[in-house]
Amino acid sequence: MGKFLKNYTLSSIKIKLIIIYLLNVTDIFFTLILINSGYFYEGNSIISPLVTKPFEAILLKLTLPGALILILNHRIKKATTSQLSLSNLAIDGCMIMYLIINCFHIAWLTLLHFYLH
């Protein structure tokens, strides 16, 4: 895992961007499931107004990050080695953050399942 995180080749960064996108998508689905249970609320004040409208929330979380990742993917092709290295740190941080968020979602979903049954 450490080798993967340290690797800042273009192909490695592209894989990381795909992972971030997939984690972002699972985040909105987990969030909507937890909120619809009635036991949880959205802690992110930016997305909070949108989670009351699931279709709009899903659409936003699919399109906006997807567009940003496509732009980043296009721009990163022209990056220097130094820029790739710095970008890799930010991308790794984002990926780890989404992994932690998704792990919390899974833990809360598991606890909710046992609480309700």
Side-chain angles (χ1 to χ4, degrees):
M1 179 76 160
K3 195 173 189 178
F4 176 68
L5 291 175
K6 290 179 183 177
N7 189 348
Y8 56 88
T9 62
L10 194 56
S11 61
S12 175
I13 289 177
K14 285 182 182 183
I15 291 169
K16 292 175 187 181
L17 291 174
I18 291 168
I19 292 169
I20 289 170
Y21 184 74
L22 294 174
L23 290 170
N24 177 61
V25 171
T26 57
D27 172 42
I28 190 61
F29 284 109
F30 287 151
T31 299
L32 291 172
I33 292 167
L34 289 168
I35 288 172
N36 286 329
S37 75
Y39 293 99
F40 297 88
Y41 68 93
E42 176 58 57
N44 181 343
S45 60
I46 295 171
I47 197 81
S48 184
L50 282 173
V51 294
T52 59
K53 304 171 190 165
F55 179 76
E56 286 88 351
I58 292 170
L59 188 63
L60 179 74
K61 289 284 275 188
L62 290 175
T63 56
L64 186 60
L68 292 173
I69 286 173
L70 286 174
I71 292 168
L72 181 58
N73 183 48
H74 177 72
R75 299 265 324 206
I76 212 157
K77 291 175 187 174
K78 301 172 187 173
T80 65
T81 304
S82 174
Q83 291 170 330
L84 284 174
S85 178
L86 286 173
S87 298
N88 186 60
L89 289 174
I91 289 167
D92 285 350
C94 183
M95 187 171 58
I96 290 168
M97 179 195 68
Y98 266 119
L99 278 170
I100 292 169
I101 289 168
N102 276 276
C103 286
F104 275 121
H105 283 321
I106 292 168
W108 287 121
L109 284 167
T110 303
L111 290 172
L112 181 65
H113 173 74
F114 287 115
Y115 178 74
L116 295 177
H117 289 92

